[in-house]
Amino acid sequence: MKYSALKILWEGLTGNKGWAPVWREPDPKPEYDVIIIGGGGHGLATAYYLAKEFGVANVAVLEKGWIGGGNVGRNTTIIRSNYLLEGNQPFYELSLKLWEGLEQDLNYNAMISQRGILNLIHSDAQRDAFARRANGMRLSGADSELLDTAGIRKMCPFLDFENARFPIQGALWQPRGGTVRHDAVAWGYARGADARGVDIIQNCEVTGFQIENGTCTGVETSRGAIRARKVAVCVAGSSGRVMAQAGMRLPIESHVLQAFVSEGLKPVIPGVITFGAGHFYVSQSDKGGLVFGGDIDGYNTYAQRGGLPVVEDVCEGGMAIMPMIGRARLLRMWGGVMDMSMDGSPFIDKTHIDGLYFNGGWCYGGFKATPASGYCYAHLIARDQPHEVATQFRLDRFARGAMIDEKGQGAQPNLH
Ligand SMILES: Cc1cc2nc3c(=O)[nH]c(=O)nc-3n(C[C@H](O)[C@H](O)[C@H](O)COP(=O)(O)OP(=O)(O)OC[C@H]3O[C@@H](n4cnc5c(N)ncnc54)[C@H](O)[C@@H]3O)c2cc1C
């Protein structure tokens, strides 16, 4: 089923009877070439690119709940490629380029909106650091600009520039950053993968791995055993628990991160704004709600709900840069479980078990990575070689002392 303006008009005039389900609900087959565990954004994107780019379509995506029920449908929807380190920057720039062509590629409206991202600067040291980051971004082909306060005032006159404690001194501006409707990403990739023959199997929890003589040959699930030549794990906040079933301990902790949405307001926030002296980021959805968030809750958990102290902390961050936000009423909030790696960077790698692959450690920045993560993971699974922009996302990097410590904030998951 191809979507087009004509199709929408026709269906509107004829009672909307011609829409077909967006993906099938098949029963699991006894065997696949590739099983992907986790039907989040990354798992579905991996399946899509495996089928589309690498000709591997005998693939099943096994999802314990429903498509879009995990972090892909819980995040604050921000995309950007304003990274500094060479292990990261080209990867996130590839992702942004894939976002830019995604709707045409999938024939699906993901509401990709490149309204720009503004990272506020509050000290001289921060200006130096952002100038370095902006230069690094330009060197690898990304867009970046340093704005002075006059430039920011034109865009966001409502910010508290003279805040006694955190005066705004400038900003790093990436015009190509923005937001994407998160669950449409899951649905679009699911639809695209399904159309190429991938089986998307919901309500199918993986409960164990079949490992024979050091080779993974399949999985145990709540719907029976399924064999596979290759098994690719992609379960975000459940990474530790799932890989423990294969006897692996990961350099990852699970923490909850919350998101908040206000009542609908008239358009006020032009793009994404982040507070550089605390942890607060905000954008405005097309329906008018302010979508915002801040730091993770500081305790380990697998529960998809957070605590009240972080609500206070996030709202303090918002009030510090834009006091008018205090007049908006909070409409909804929720939590998602984050796979926090010890250097804040991800993994896309083979494991020591033949045929078993791992993708995770996305911390709270994995939504923007969805297209490149899927593309590079598919590359690794199909060719057994890392893609050139993902060569540093290795599981052994801590043993080698080759961390990708993007923010220079050390090994504290609550500081990334
Ligand atoms: C509140 C919040 C705000 C965020 N904001 C941003 C942002 O603005 N920008 C950004 O870039 N990133 C953001 N993130 C991070 C981003 O959402 C995640 O890094 C990313 O979505 C993780 O990848 P995923 O989509 O594949 O995860 P998920 O959607 O969580 O997919 C993993 C799937 O695995 C399934 N699963 C788990 N165990 C099993 C099992 N045993 N068997 C079968 N299936 C299993 C789960 O049910 C889940 O559906 C945010 C996250 C949260 C929670």
Side-chain angles (χ1 to χ4, degrees):
M1 181 175 55
K2 188 105 176 112
Y3 294 135
S4 67
L6 205 61
K7 171 89 178 154
I8 292 171
L9 189 65
W10 174 253
E11 289 298 334
L13 293 173
T14 56
N16 284 308
K17 295 196 180 94
W19 300 116
V22 171
W23 60 82
R24 297 163 295 129
E25 291 280 357
D27 287 326
K29 293 192 281 199
E31 187 163 355
Y32 290 91
D33 289 338
V34 178
I35 283 178
I36 295 167
I37 307 175
H42 293 225
L44 293 164
T46 305
Y48 174 73
Y49 292 118
L50 266 174
K52 177 171 179 258
E53 303 291 340
F54 300 96
V56 184
N58 184 20
V59 175
V61 178
L62 308 183
E63 166 53 49
K64 76 172 176 186
W66 67 96
I67 297 304
N71 290 343
V72 68
R74 291 169 183 266
N75 61 69
T76 38
T77 77
I78 301 167
I79 61 164
R80 56 187 172 87
S81 71
N82 52 6
Y83 282 71
L84 169 71
L85 300 182
E86 61 178 30
N88 275 333
Q89 218 306 308
F91 173 84
Y92 288 100
E93 183 53 23
L94 171 66
S95 212
L96 201 47
K97 290 207 170 76
L98 289 169
W99 282 120
E100 284 167 339
L102 194 72
E103 291 172 323
Q104 294 302 321
D105 190 16
L106 296 176
N107 177 231
Y108 201 83
N109 180 10
M111 296 167 72
I112 294 170
S113 174
Q114 291 181 286
R115 286 177 275 176
I117 177 163
L118 196 63
N119 303 124
L120 298 176
I121 295 170
H122 306 270
S123 69
D124 290 346
Q126 199 169 32
R127 183 186 294 107
D128 290 349
F130 275 149
R132 186 168 169 238
R133 182 175 293 264
N135 288 335
M137 288 165 66
R138 287 193 165 216
L139 284 173
S140 62
D143 59 320
S144 67
E145 279 172 47
L146 274 187
L147 297 185
D148 58 13
T149 46
I152 305 169
R153 264 181 216 279
K154 259 193 235 157
M155 222 182 274
C156 304
F158 51 83
L159 291 175
D160 185 0
F161 286 83
E162 274 81 43
N163 181 310
R165 192 153 170 225
F166 309 115
I168 295 168
Q169 299 189 7
L172 171 64
W173 167 239
Q174 185 178 29
R176 285 165 62 240
T179 55
V180 183
R181 164 127 197 235
H182 48 198
D183 24 31
V185 174
W187 301 330
Y189 273 124
R191 174 175 177 269
D194 175 271
R196 286 171 170 78
V198 171
D199 283 357
I200 295 167
I201 301 165
Q202 303 183 83
N203 299 310
C204 181
E205 178 169 5
V206 171
T207 52
F209 293 92
Q210 297 171 340
I211 297 171
E212 297 161 17
N213 301 322
T215 300
C216 186
T217 55
V219 292
E220 307 287 343
T221 80
S222 52
R223 294 174 68 175
I226 311 174
R227 294 183 68 79
R229 288 198 305 113
K230 297 185 175 183
V231 174
V233 178
C234 207
V235 292
S238 302
S239 293
R241 283 202 290 197
V242 170
M243 294 311 276
Q245 293 166 5
M248 286 183 68
R249 189 155 179 258
L250 302 172
I252 288 178
E253 288 184 13
S254 289
H255 288 253
V256 69
L257 176 68
Q258 304 188 52
F260 307 88
V261 179
S262 79
E263 62 190 327
L265 305 174
K266 286 184 182 170
V268 56
I269 307 229
V272 181
I273 304 171
T274 75
F275 176 35
H279 207 166
F280 176 80
Y281 35 90
V282 62
S283 63
Q284 189 166 17
S285 78
D286 289 347
K287 281 198 288 185
L290 303 182
V291 181
F292 56 96
D295 222 336
I296 49 178
D297 287 38
Y299 47 88
N300 299 126
T301 180
Y302 289 111
Q304 295 186 120
R305 61 178 179 274
L308 289 173
V310 166
V311 182
E312 191 175 358
D313 183 65
V314 170
C315 292
E316 270 173 19
M319 291 293 288
I321 52 165
M322 38 191 292
M324 54 75 155
I325 200 173
R327 305 280 300 276
R329 280 172 296 190
L330 195 60
L331 199 64
R332 351 186 232 125
M333 55 193 274
W334 60 84
V337 185
M338 318 307 314
D339 36 337
M340 302 298 295
S341 68
M342 293 299 108
D343 61 357
S345 294
F347 305 97
I348 302 179
D349 204 358
K350 299 192 224 183
T351 70
H352 68 284
I353 300 165
D354 279 347
L356 181 61
Y357 300 75
F358 178 71
N359 174 316
W362 294 99
C363 302
Y364 41 50
F367 178 63
K368 73 178 85 63
T370 305
S373 168
Y375 196 97
C376 294
Y377 202 25
H379 185 284
L380 178 74
I381 296 163
R383 304 212 172 135
D384 274 315
Q385 290 292 331
H387 187 278
E388 60 181 5
V389 299
T391 54
Q392 296 191 30
F393 299 155
R394 314 301 297 269
L395 279 161
D396 68 354
R397 67 174 182 262
F398 295 96
R400 290 183 289 111
M403 278 80 81
I404 317 173
D405 201 355
E406 176 71 28
K407 290 189 184 170
Q409 286 179 326
Q412 294 293 320
N414 59 342
L415 291 182
H416 286 296

Coordinates of all heavy atoms in Angstrom, one line a residue, residues 312-361:
E312 N 11.1 17.9 40.1 CA 11.5 19.2 40.7 C 12.8 19.8 40.0 O 12.8 20.9 39.6 CB 11.7 19.1 42.2 CG 11.8 20.4 42.9 CD 11.9 20.2 44.4 OE1 11.8 19.1 44.9 OE2 12.0 21.3 45.1
D313 N 13.7 18.9 39.9 CA 15.0 19.3 39.3 C 14.9 19.7 37.9 O 15.4 20.8 37.5 CB 16.0 18.0 39.4 CG 17.4 18.4 38.9 OD1 18.0 19.2 39.5 OD2 17.8 17.9 37.8
V314 N 14.1 19.0 37.1 CA 13.9 19.4 35.7 C 13.1 20.7 35.6 O 13.5 21.6 34.8 CB 13.1 18.3 35.0 CG1 12.6 18.8 33.6 CG2 13.9 17.0 34.8
C315 N 12.1 20.9 36.5 CA 11.4 22.2 36.4 C 12.2 23.3 36.9 O 12.1 24.4 36.3 CB 10.1 22.0 37.3 SG 8.9 20.9 36.5
E316 N 13.1 23.1 37.8 CA 14.1 24.2 38.2 C 14.9 24.6 37.0 O 15.2 25.8 36.8 CB 15.0 23.6 39.3 CG 14.5 23.9 40.7 CD 15.4 23.2 41.7 OE1 16.6 22.9 41.4 OE2 14.9 23.0 42.8
G317 N 15.4 23.6 36.2 CA 16.2 23.9 35.1 C 15.4 24.8 34.1 O 15.9 25.7 33.5
G318 N 14.2 24.4 33.9 CA 13.3 25.2 32.9 C 13.1 26.6 33.4 O 13.3 27.5 32.7
M319 N 12.8 26.7 34.7 CA 12.6 28.1 35.3 C 13.8 28.9 35.2 O 13.7 30.1 35.1 CB 12.1 27.9 36.8 CG 10.8 27.3 36.9 SD 9.4 28.4 36.3 CE 9.4 29.7 37.5
A320 N 15.0 28.3 35.3 CA 16.2 29.1 35.3 C 16.5 29.8 34.0 O 17.1 30.8 33.9 CB 17.4 28.2 35.6
I321 N 16.1 29.1 32.8 CA 16.3 29.8 31.6 C 15.1 30.5 31.0 O 15.2 31.4 30.2 CB 16.9 28.9 30.5 CG1 16.1 27.6 30.3 CG2 18.4 28.7 30.8 CD1 16.5 26.9 29.1
M322 N 13.9 30.0 31.3 CA 12.7 30.6 30.7 C 11.6 30.6 31.8 O 10.7 29.7 31.8 CB 12.2 29.8 29.4 CG 12.4 28.3 29.5 SD 12.2 27.5 27.9 CE 10.5 27.8 27.6
P323 N 11.6 31.6 32.7 CA 10.7 31.6 33.8 C 9.2 31.5 33.4 O 8.4 31.0 34.1 CB 10.9 33.0 34.5 CG 12.3 33.4 34.0 CD 12.5 32.7 32.7
M324 N 8.9 31.9 32.1 CA 7.5 31.9 31.7 C 6.9 30.5 31.6 O 5.7 30.2 31.6 CB 7.3 32.6 30.4 CG 8.1 32.2 29.2 SD 7.7 30.7 28.4 CE 8.4 30.9 26.8
I325 N 7.8 29.5 31.7 CA 7.4 28.1 31.6 C 6.6 27.7 32.9 O 5.8 26.8 32.9 CB 8.5 27.1 31.4 CG1 8.0 25.8 30.8 CG2 9.4 26.9 32.6 CD1 9.1 24.8 30.4
G326 N 6.9 28.5 34.0 CA 6.2 28.2 35.2 C 4.7 28.4 35.1 O 3.9 28.0 36.0
R327 N 4.2 29.2 34.1 CA 2.8 29.4 33.9 C 2.1 28.2 33.2 O 0.8 28.1 33.2 CB 2.5 30.7 33.1 CG 3.2 31.9 33.6 CD 2.4 32.6 34.8 NE 1.1 32.9 34.4 CZ 0.8 34.1 33.8 NH1 1.7 35.0 33.6 NH2 -0.5 34.4 33.6
A328 N 2.9 27.4 32.6 CA 2.3 26.3 31.8 C 1.9 25.1 32.7 O 2.7 24.8 33.6 CB 3.2 25.8 30.7
R329 N 0.8 24.4 32.5 CA 0.5 23.3 33.3 C 1.0 22.0 32.7 O 0.9 21.8 31.5 CB -1.1 23.2 33.5 CG -1.6 24.2 34.5 CD -3.1 24.2 34.6 NE -3.6 24.7 33.3 CZ -4.8 25.1 33.1 NH1 -5.7 24.9 34.1 NH2 -5.2 25.6 31.9
L330 N 1.5 21.1 33.6 CA 2.0 19.9 33.1 C 0.9 18.9 32.8 O -0.1 18.8 33.6 CB 2.9 19.3 34.3 CG 3.8 18.1 33.9 CD1 4.8 18.6 32.8 CD2 4.6 17.7 35.1
L331 N 0.9 18.3 31.6 CA -0.2 17.5 31.2 C 0.1 16.0 31.4 O -0.8 15.3 31.9 CB -0.5 17.7 29.7 CG -1.8 17.3 29.1 CD1 -2.9 18.2 29.7 CD2 -1.8 17.6 27.6
R332 N 1.3 15.6 31.0 CA 1.6 14.2 31.2 C 3.1 14.0 31.4 O 3.9 14.9 31.0 CB 1.2 13.3 30.0 CG 0.5 13.9 29.0 CD 0.0 13.0 27.9 NE 0.4 13.6 26.6 CZ 1.1 13.0 25.7 NH1 1.6 11.8 25.9 NH2 1.4 13.7 24.6
M333 N 3.5 12.9 32.0 CA 4.9 12.5 32.2 C 5.0 11.0 32.2 O 4.0 10.3 32.5 CB 5.4 13.1 33.5 CG 4.6 12.7 34.7 SD 5.0 13.7 36.1 CE 6.3 12.7 36.7
W334 N 6.2 10.5 31.8 CA 6.4 9.1 31.8 C 7.8 8.8 31.9 O 8.7 9.7 31.9 CB 5.8 8.4 30.5 CG 6.4 9.0 29.3 CD1 7.6 8.5 28.7 CD2 6.0 10.1 28.5 NE1 7.9 9.3 27.6 CE2 6.9 10.2 27.4 CE3 4.9 10.9 28.5 CZ2 6.8 11.2 26.4 CZ3 4.8 11.9 27.5 CH2 5.7 12.0 26.5
G335 N 8.2 7.5 32.1 CA 9.6 7.2 32.1 C 10.0 6.0 31.2 O 9.1 5.3 30.7
G336 N 11.3 6.0 30.8 CA 11.8 4.9 30.0 C 13.1 4.4 30.6 O 13.8 5.1 31.3
V337 N 13.4 3.1 30.4 CA 14.6 2.6 31.0 C 15.8 2.7 30.0 O 15.8 2.2 28.9 CB 14.4 1.1 31.4 CG1 15.7 0.6 32.1 CG2 13.2 0.9 32.2
M338 N 16.8 3.4 30.5 CA 18.0 3.7 29.7 C 19.1 2.8 29.9 O 19.4 2.4 31.0 CB 18.5 5.1 30.0 CG 17.5 6.2 30.3 SD 16.4 6.3 28.9 CE 17.5 6.3 27.6
D339 N 19.8 2.4 28.8 CA 21.0 1.5 28.8 C 22.2 2.4 28.9 O 22.8 2.8 27.9 CB 21.0 0.6 27.6 CG 20.5 1.2 26.3 OD1 19.7 2.2 26.4 OD2 20.9 0.7 25.3
M340 N 22.6 2.8 30.1 CA 23.7 3.8 30.3 C 25.0 3.1 30.3 O 25.3 2.3 31.2 CB 23.5 4.5 31.7 CG 22.2 5.3 31.9 SD 21.9 6.6 30.7 CE 23.2 7.7 31.1
S341 N 25.8 3.4 29.3 CA 27.2 2.8 29.3 C 28.1 3.7 30.1 O 27.8 4.8 30.5 CB 27.7 2.8 27.8 OG 27.9 4.1 27.4
M342 N 29.3 3.1 30.4 CA 30.2 3.8 31.4 C 30.9 4.9 30.8 O 31.6 5.7 31.5 CB 31.1 2.8 32.1 CG 30.4 1.8 32.9 SD 29.5 2.5 34.3 CE 27.8 2.3 33.8
D343 N 31.0 5.1 29.5 CA 31.6 6.3 28.9 C 30.6 7.1 28.1 O 30.9 8.1 27.4 CB 32.8 5.9 28.0 CG 32.4 5.0 26.8 OD1 31.2 4.7 26.7 OD2 33.3 4.8 26.0
G344 N 29.3 6.7 28.2 CA 28.2 7.5 27.5 C 28.1 7.2 26.1 O 27.3 7.8 25.4
S345 N 28.9 6.2 25.5 CA 28.8 5.9 24.1 C 28.3 4.5 23.9 O 28.4 3.7 24.8 CB 30.2 6.1 23.5 OG 30.5 7.5 23.5
P346 N 27.8 4.2 22.7 CA 27.2 2.9 22.4 C 28.1 1.8 22.0 O 29.3 1.9 21.9 CB 26.2 3.3 21.3 CG 27.0 4.3 20.5 CD 27.8 5.1 21.5
F347 N 27.5 0.6 21.8 CA 28.1 -0.6 21.3 C 27.4 -1.1 20.1 O 26.1 -1.2 20.1 CB 28.2 -1.7 22.3 CG 28.8 -1.3 23.6 CD1 28.0 -0.9 24.7 CD2 30.2 -1.3 23.8 CE1 28.5 -0.5 25.9 CE2 30.7 -0.8 25.0 CZ 29.9 -0.5 26.0
I348 N 28.1 -1.4 19.0 CA 27.5 -2.2 17.9 C 28.6 -3.2 17.5 O 29.6 -2.9 16.9 CB 27.2 -1.3 16.6 CG1 26.3 -0.1 17.0 CG2 26.6 -2.1 15.5 CD1 26.0 0.8 15.8
D349 N 28.5 -4.4 18.0 CA 29.6 -5.3 18.0 C 29.2 -6.8 18.0 O 28.1 -7.1 18.3 CB 30.5 -5.0 19.2 CG 31.9 -5.4 19.0 OD1 32.3 -5.9 17.9 OD2 32.7 -5.2 19.9
K350 N 30.1 -7.6 17.5 CA 30.0 -9.1 17.7 C 30.3 -9.4 19.2 O 31.0 -8.6 19.8 CB 30.9 -9.8 16.8 CG 30.8 -9.6 15.4 CD 31.7 -10.6 14.7 CE 32.5 -10.1 13.6 NZ 33.3 -11.0 12.8
T351 N 29.8 -10.5 19.7 CA 30.2 -10.9 21.0 C 31.2 -12.0 20.8 O 31.5 -12.5 19.7 CB 29.0 -11.4 21.8 OG1 28.6 -12.7 21.2 CG2 27.9 -10.4 21.8
H352 N 31.7 -12.6 22.0 CA 32.7 -13.7 21.9 C 32.0 -15.0 21.5 O 32.6 -16.0 21.2 CB 33.4 -13.8 23.3 CG 32.5 -14.3 24.4 ND1 31.6 -13.5 25.0 CD2 32.3 -15.5 24.9 CE1 30.9 -14.1 25.9 NE2 31.3 -15.4 25.9
I353 N 30.6 -15.0 21.5 CA 29.9 -16.1 21.1 C 29.6 -16.0 19.6 O 29.0 -15.0 19.1 CB 28.5 -16.2 21.9 CG1 28.9 -16.3 23.4 CG2 27.7 -17.4 21.4 CD1 27.7 -16.1 24.3
D354 N 30.0 -17.0 18.8 CA 29.8 -16.9 17.3 C 28.3 -16.8 17.0 O 27.5 -17.5 17.6 CB 30.3 -18.2 16.6 CG 31.8 -18.2 16.4 OD1 32.4 -17.1 16.6 OD2 32.4 -19.2 16.1
G355 N 27.9 -15.9 16.1 CA 26.5 -15.8 15.7 C 25.7 -14.9 16.6 O 24.5 -14.7 16.4
L356 N 26.3 -14.4 17.7 CA 25.5 -13.5 18.6 C 26.1 -12.1 18.6 O 27.3 -11.9 18.8 CB 25.6 -14.1 20.1 CG 24.8 -13.3 21.1 CD1 23.3 -13.2 20.8 CD2 25.0 -13.8 22.5
Y357 N 25.2 -11.1 18.3 CA 25.6 -9.7 18.1 C 24.9 -8.9 19.1 O 23.9 -9.2 19.6 CB 25.2 -9.3 16.7 CG 25.9 -10.1 15.6 CD1 25.4 -11.4 15.3 CD2 26.9 -9.6 14.8 CE1 26.0 -12.1 14.3 CE2 27.5 -10.3 13.8 CZ 27.0 -11.6 13.6 OH 27.6 -12.4 12.6
F358 N 25.6 -7.7 19.4 CA 25.0 -6.9 20.5 C 25.0 -5.4 20.0 O 26.0 -4.9 19.5 CB 25.8 -7.0 21.8 CG 25.2 -6.0 22.8 CD1 24.0 -6.3 23.4 CD2 25.9 -4.9 23.2 CE1 23.4 -5.4 24.4 CE2 25.4 -4.0 24.2 CZ 24.1 -4.3 24.7
N359 N 23.9 -4.7 20.3 CA 23.7 -3.3 20.0 C 23.1 -2.7 21.2 O 22.0 -3.1 21.7 CB 22.8 -3.2 18.8 CG 22.4 -1.7 18.4 OD1 22.1 -1.0 19.3 ND2 22.4 -1.4 17.2
G360 N 23.7 -1.7 21.9 CA 23.1 -1.1 23.1 C 24.0 0.0 23.6 O 25.0 0.4 23.0
G361 N 23.7 0.4 24.9 CA 24.5 1.4 25.5 C 24.2 2.8 24.9 O 25.1 3.7 24.9

